[in-house]
Amino acid sequence: MATVADLISRTRQYLQGGHPERRNLLATAISDATTTSIVCTYETQGIASNSRISIDLEDMHVHSVNAGTKTLTVSRGDYGSTAATSHAQDSVILVGALHSNKAILDAFNDTLLDLEGRGLYRVATPLE
């Protein structure tokens, strides 16, 4: 059975049309929703000031990039997302993705709400 993460990944692959995405990895875990310094594992090329990065379901606005230390200064929970309380080390950083994980999840939820309104889908509690 597919998880929501699997569905987001499959949708992302479809939307990319076989073109590779710019990615990096989180060098150190984030354990606080107020953290504004993000350290990347790899070189920060392709990440610029005033761009967007996404980690898990959180989108962030990049204010500055220190290429020497591979550190980004960001606004957390931007573009309609919520700042997560944690992100694990080695989490994927999507760089300038056209469709963030949060945007894809929102589209799924909007579709489900639309289907529910048309009577095609309904959330119900199981019978006991």
Side-chain angles (χ1 to χ4, degrees):
M1 182 171 186
T3 65
V4 171
D6 294 334
L7 295 174
I8 289 172
S9 178
R10 289 180 196 168
T11 302
R12 174 171 303 297
Q13 289 172 4
Y14 173 77
L15 291 171
Q16 287 301 115
H19 300 297
E21 291 180 308
R22 290 183 295 160
R23 295 178 171 210
N24 208 315
L25 294 178
L26 195 57
T28 57
I30 298 172
S31 58
D32 186 329
T34 62
T35 298
T36 58
S37 291
I38 306 295
V39 181
C40 299
T41 299
Y42 304 108
E43 298 298 323
T44 57
Q45 56 208 112
I47 306 174
S49 296
N50 294 316
S51 63
R52 176 172 66 180
I53 62 169
S54 301
I55 303 174
D56 301 325
L57 293 175
E58 181 180 355
D59 294 339
M60 302 173 203
H61 180 81
V62 178
H63 292 284
S64 64
V65 179
N66 183 327
T69 62
K70 303 176 190 171
T71 303
L72 313 174
T73 302
V74 300
S75 291
R76 300 283 307 278
D78 217 337
Y79 305 99
S81 69
T82 301
T85 55
S86 66
H87 293 288
Q89 181 179 356
D90 294 329
S91 291
V92 172
I93 301 170
L94 297 173
V95 179
L98 291 175
H99 309 284
S100 69
N101 291 341
K102 168 80 167 88
I104 292 170
L105 180 62
D106 286 348
F108 285 158
N109 285 330
D110 290 346
T111 300
L112 290 174
L113 284 172
D114 184 53
L115 292 173
E116 178 185 22
R118 295 173 188 226
L120 298 174
Y121 174 80
R122 182 172 67 96
V123 176
T125 56
L127 298 174
E128 294 185 29

